Amino acid sequence: VQLQASGGGLVQPGGSLRLSCVVSGSSLDYYAIGWFRQAPGKEREWVLCDSSRGGTTYYADAVEGRFTISRDGAKNTAYLEMHVLQPEDTAMYYCAAAIPCSKWPSDYKYWGQGTLVTVSS
């Protein structure tokens, strides 16, 4: 199973961005998909996790109400929609697959390579 994250870039404070996570080698529906982020000099931080097959989505307090996740089964792709972005959201963002949802990186077996999000004016 391989994951490929993309869609990062430079965005102004208050703006929006959509990240993609393409899953290959297995069906997206089989896994819970988590997103993590890591800012320079900081530990990897859990952002959210979406359970497989229409289950619950869990959010970190820092992003609840601003970030959402969606899935396109036909494209085997998960999307992280980020709104009202702030400079503190600047980080490398990683998608990962696990069974079931978890907020601990060690519980995720498969990881994407990361995509950089920079929020700055």
Side-chain angles (χ1 to χ4, degrees):
V1 179
Q2 293 184 327
L3 281 69
Q4 184 169 356
S6 62
L10 175 64
V11 61
Q12 292 187 342
S16 299
L17 202 60
R18 187 179 78 163
L19 306 183
S20 300
C21 178
V22 180
V23 177
S24 59
S26 183
S27 172
L28 172 66
D29 290 342
Y30 188 66
Y31 292 99
I33 297 296
W35 285 90
F36 292 79
R37 64 187 183 185
Q38 189 166 16
K42 294 188 177 181
E43 293 186 352
R44 190 163 296 191
E45 175 190 21
W46 172 72
V47 174
L48 59 78
C49 183
D50 179 59
S51 303
S52 62
R53 296 173 181 157
T56 304
T57 301
Y58 305 91
Y59 298 90
D61 290 344
V63 305
E64 188 163 16
R66 300 189 298 125
F67 290 15
T68 60
I69 188 170
S70 61
R71 295 175 180 240
D72 184 335
K75 296 182 178 180
N76 231 31
T77 300
Y79 300 99
L80 176 63
E81 299 271 359
M82 305 184 294
H83 302 285
V84 196
L85 285 162
Q86 300 301 320
E88 52 266 35
D89 294 316
T90 295
M92 188 72 76
Y93 282 73
Y94 300 88
C95 61
I99 304 172
C101 262
S102 171
K103 60 176 62 177
W104 307 110
S106 59
D107 289 335
Y108 288 78
K109 185 174 183 179
Y110 304 108
W111 288 83
Q113 81 286 5
T115 185
L116 181 62
V117 173
T118 303
V119 184
S120 175
S121 55

